[in-house]
Amino acid sequence: MSKYQYSRQNEVFLKKLKSLRESRQLRQADLGDLLGRSQGWVSYVESGATTLNVIELREWVEALDYSFMEFLQDLDDELRWLSSVGLRTLPRKRAGGAANGGRASGEK
C-alpha cells in the first residue's frame, strides 16, 4: 500500500470528496447511480479502501455539479496550509515492545 494512503493529506482529500457529496444531499447510492457504479464502490473510495485515478476523480466531482478545477484548487490550498503548519503525516504506531515510550529492541 502507498505510504500516502494513511497520510493527513489523504484524509483531507477523502473528507473533501465526502463533504462535497453530502453538500448535495446525496447518499452514496445516489452518487453511485450518477457514476454508473455501486454504493459499495463509493463507500470504498470515501473510506480510502480504494483510490480514484484522475479521470475517475473528474467524473466524481462533475457528477456532483462542481468544477473539477475549483475542487483541485481548494484541495491544493488546504494541502499547502497543512504543509505550512507541519502536519504532514499521521503518527505511526510503534511495534511490539516500543509502546508506552519504551524502546524497541536494538534502539539506543
Side-chain angles (χ1 to χ4, degrees), residues 26-73:
L26 294 175
R27 300 170 304 151
Q28 289 177 339
D30 299 328
L31 178 56
D33 288 344
L34 289 171
L35 296 170
R37 299 287 196 126
S38 69
Q39 173 275 326
W41 181 80
V42 174
S43 176
Y44 285 153
V45 171
E46 288 183 351
S47 70
T50 192
T51 58
L52 296 174
N53 66 43
V54 71
I55 304 304
E56 291 168 326
L57 174 61
R58 183 174 182 263
E59 290 172 352
W60 180 294
V61 171
E62 290 185 348
L64 296 171
D65 197 30
Y66 198 77
S67 163
F68 179 61
M69 295 307 292
E70 190 171 336
F71 180 87
L72 292 177
Q73 186 62 58

Side-chain angles (χ1 to χ4, degrees), residues 73-101:
Q73 186 62 58
D74 292 345
L75 178 62
D76 186 58
D77 291 346
E78 278 195 57
L79 296 179
R80 286 180 188 277
W81 177 83
L82 194 64
S83 292
S84 75
V85 296
L87 300 175
R88 294 176 188 248
T89 59
L90 294 172
R92 293 181 184 231
K93 292 182 181 178
R94 292 186 169 179
N100 298 325

